[in-house]
Amino acid sequence: MKTIIEPFRIKSVEPIRMTTRDERKSLIKDNHYNLFSLKSDDVLIDLLTDSGTGAMSSNQWAAIMRGDESYAGSPSFLHFEAAVRNLMPFTYILPTHQGRAAEAILFSIYGGKGKNIPNNTHFDTTRGNIEATGARAHDLVIDEGRDPTNEHPFKGNMNLDKLEAYLAEHKDSVPCVMMTITNNAGGGQPVSLENIRAVAAIAKKHGKPFIIDGCRFAENAWFIKLREPGQADRSITDIVRDCFTCADGMTMSAKKDGFANIGGWLALNDSDIADLARAKLIQTEGFPTYGGMAGRDLEAIAQGLSEIVDEDYLRYRIRTNAYISEKLDAMGIPVVKPAGGHAVFVDARKWLSHIPPLSYPGHALAVALYEIGGIRSCEIGTVMFGRQPDGTEQPAAMDLVRMAFPRRTYTQSHADYLIESFEELVPLKDRLKGFKITEEPKLMRHFTCHFAPLG
Ligand SMILES: *Cc1c(COP(=O)(O)O)cnc(C)c1O
């Protein structure tokens, strides 16, 4: 069959409140043109993020009822720990309330002034947590990963020569080597198993712990199965295990491929580092058998991890993005190719080439999509990454607009409506104007800054 159906039925629904284009124009203005400030009731299709926004299964809801809320030694922790370890064989697994809490704990140990931390591409919270300690974060993705039109199958790969040169240059100031799978900020692009192993080997040679940011490990494994020679006949679980066996630790947001609405973890093999991390966990999150979560959240994640590796789910998940991406491409809209795992990315710098990067073309497109279709997307570009630690502003590597799909939440007609919104936008796009930022906080400004449209 050509049609890949949603591999689930819907048992419980949430109504969408319909709005008009005029209503949305005044709503976004009232919110200083920041899409994060909108009430979600004022959004028709919310593609701001795939983080914690997915639908849980009936078995996850059943698991919620089994959650044991004992302060210490909850069986729910043991279920959670076993489910994580089944996929990621780490010695110490510390539950946190989100991925960023795991990052904050990790960099309270590895960060600090004068430290340098490489990654294929740091996600914004990772970069934020590193820079908050005074350390510096560097992105060493392969050049193909920075070219939105390049069809390389693993555009999230680390540039191995650059990593070698980086470690030779920064030597003792590098506390660990990181790798993000899939590469969220770089377009949701996968990393090959071969590249993960090569990075692990380089880190080991230089005596550096290798830490994977594993938020979308199952989507990454699906791409490995589809695209990497020799992997087609292997199970997703086996591929996932191979990815993590060569790492010394991981950070995770269970709001992504944990299929949960909240949660995360930090996993480590080194007992000294784990001791420091556990002390910090107790100080900032909670006792080590619940960390930042309730017992029921631990159960939801344990069940979610058994569902996320399902191949029918992953086939449908990845196909949704490819379908939208192909339709936009056929309309002449520059999309990042090939389609990423969790999202479709439009190259706004290219499509709105009349708006210079420092006038935020990605933001201009995101605002227009909201006004026209009630669709909430997210700029991943100069608004997010343009502010430098020294206070200056520079264009980001790319100005993308990300439409991230909550897991198991929207249907085919939502996808078709999104495509139609772009059709409406095509004749208007040359008249879109840029923006300036009128108010911003010091770190991670995109969440709260205020914008004003330019002339
Ligand atoms: C979401 C995300 C994080 C942070 O996780 P939260 O649960 O949102 O704190 C870190 N890295 C990547 C790649 C992510 O996508």
Side-chain angles (χ1 to χ4, degrees):
M1 297 294 290
K2 279 206 305 291
T3 306
I4 295 170
I5 61 171
E6 288 87 358
F8 49 80
R9 298 179 297 186
I10 296 167
K11 180 178 281 185
S12 178
V13 297
E14 283 181 288
I16 293 173
R17 189 182 84 83
M18 303 307 278
T19 50
T20 64
R21 197 179 289 196
D22 284 341
E23 275 177 79
R24 294 191 290 266
K25 278 191 168 162
S26 61
L27 284 164
I28 189 68
K29 182 162 183 272
D30 293 346
N31 284 288
H32 309 284
Y33 294 95
N34 190 323
L35 290 149
F36 284 95
S37 305
L38 287 171
K39 292 196 187 76
S40 60
D41 277 352
D42 296 332
V43 175
L44 295 185
I45 300 182
D46 204 346
L47 307 180
L48 183 65
T49 173
D50 63 324
S51 179
T53 51
M56 290 209 293
S57 67
S58 50
N59 280 329
Q60 281 181 289
W61 284 109
I64 290 253
M65 288 305 295
R66 288 195 299 273
D68 179 300
E69 305 302 341
S70 303
Y71 191 93
S74 164
S76 298
F77 174 72
L78 298 177
H79 296 159
F80 161 83
E81 189 184 41
V84 173
R85 209 173 269 145
N86 176 47
L87 293 169
M88 296 114 176
F90 293 111
T91 314
Y92 306 101
I93 297 164
L94 310 184
T96 59
H97 78 279
Q98 286 196 215
R100 68 197 65 188
E103 292 167 354
I105 292 171
L106 186 70
F107 298 116
S108 74
I109 301 164
Y110 284 146
K113 216 171 165 45
K115 297 285 171 59
N116 291 290
I117 299 164
N119 202 329
N120 46 357
T121 310
H122 289 279
F123 186 63
D124 59 346
T125 60
T126 320
R127 176 173 286 277
N129 270 304
I130 290 171
E131 290 175 352
T133 71
R136 293 178 51 132
H138 296 100
D139 298 336
L140 306 181
V141 72
I142 56 171
D143 292 343
E144 290 90 332
R146 291 210 165 92
D147 171 4
T149 60
N150 193 299
E151 300 254 15
H152 191 287
F154 291 103
K155 288 171 79 172
N157 280 357
M158 187 89 82
N159 184 321
L160 302 175
D161 294 335
K162 277 193 188 159
L163 179 63
E164 282 278 14
Y166 185 92
L167 289 165
E169 182 190 341
H170 294 291
K171 300 189 179 72
D172 290 346
S173 72
V174 182
C176 63
V177 172
M178 283 199 79
M179 174 82 120
T180 306
I181 66 171
T182 58
N183 190 21
N184 184 349
Q189 298 292 333
V191 180
S192 71
L193 184 54
E194 184 186 28
N195 192 255
I196 292 172
R197 286 178 168 148
V199 169
I202 291 171
K204 190 166 185 180
K205 188 176 85 184
H206 291 264
K208 309 294 182 191
F210 173 46
I211 310 289
I212 295 180
D213 174 342
C215 293
R216 296 183 183 76
F217 69 89
E219 291 168 10
N220 199 78
W222 177 254
F223 282 119
I224 287 174
K225 184 178 168 89
L226 283 190
R227 297 179 184 170
E228 190 156 343
Q231 301 295 327
D233 297 327
R234 304 190 60 219
S235 75
I236 296 298
T237 298
D238 282 347
I239 294 171
V240 171
R241 283 185 190 136
D242 279 0
C243 294
F244 289 92
T245 301
C246 60
D248 301 295
M250 74 178 291
T251 57
M252 176 71 190
S253 169
K255 303 173 74 171
K256 322 290 169 58
D257 277 357
F259 257 150
N261 298 125
I262 197 73
W265 65 84
L266 171 64
L268 295 160
N269 283 338
D270 183 297
S271 67
D272 293 340
I273 302 294
D275 281 347
L276 294 171
R278 205 176 296 107
K280 193 76 184 171
L281 183 81
I282 293 170
Q283 183 195 334
T284 59
E285 292 277 294
F287 189 73
T289 60
Y290 68 87
M293 285 182 279
R296 53 180 170 269
D297 301 326
L298 296 166
E299 292 282 359
I301 294 168
Q303 175 62 29
L305 290 177
S306 75
E307 296 175 9
I308 199 81
V309 293
D310 175 54
E311 295 196 5
D312 291 326
Y313 160 73
L314 289 167
R315 182 178 296 110
Y316 136 82
R317 169 86 175 149
I318 302 303
R319 180 59 201 151
T320 307
N321 295 337
Y323 171 80
I324 294 166
S325 178
E326 283 163 18
K327 297 275 185 186
L328 298 188
D329 187 37
M331 283 156 62
I333 296 165
V335 285
V336 173
K337 291 183 189 172
H342 64 295
V344 174
F345 291 76
V346 174
D347 182 351
R349 187 178 293 176
K350 187 165 179 191
W351 202 40
L352 306 182
S353 55
H354 61 289
I355 302 177
L358 293 182
S359 301
Y360 315 127
H363 187 69
L365 175 55
V367 169
L369 260 180
Y370 174 69
E371 290 178 346
I372 286 174
I375 292 157
R376 177 153 67 171
S377 56
C378 184
E379 190 256 19
I380 308 249
T382 305
V383 175
M384 195 179 268
F385 299 118
R387 177 66 71 210
Q388 305 301 305
D390 67 2
T392 61
E393 178 141 15
Q394 278 168 27
M398 295 191 264
D399 277 295
L400 303 178
V401 168
R402 181 185 73 184
M403 290 164 288
F405 290 84
R407 292 169 180 74
R408 304 188 291 206
T409 303
Y410 292 111
T411 64
Q412 170 88 33
S413 61
H414 293 109
D416 287 327
Y417 175 93
L418 167 69
I419 292 158
E420 192 180 332
S421 299
F422 271 96
E423 281 166 5
E424 294 273 309
L425 195 50
V426 167
L428 307 175
K429 63 110 179 164
D430 290 331
R431 277 176 280 148
L432 294 182
K433 302 231 163 67
F435 282 83
K436 65 178 180 206
I437 290 178
T438 55
E439 251 184 73
E440 64 180 287
K442 266 187 95 170
L443 282 174
M444 292 189 250
R445 64 176 177 178
H446 53 288
F447 289 125
T448 54
C449 66
H450 291 182
F451 298 89
L454 291 170

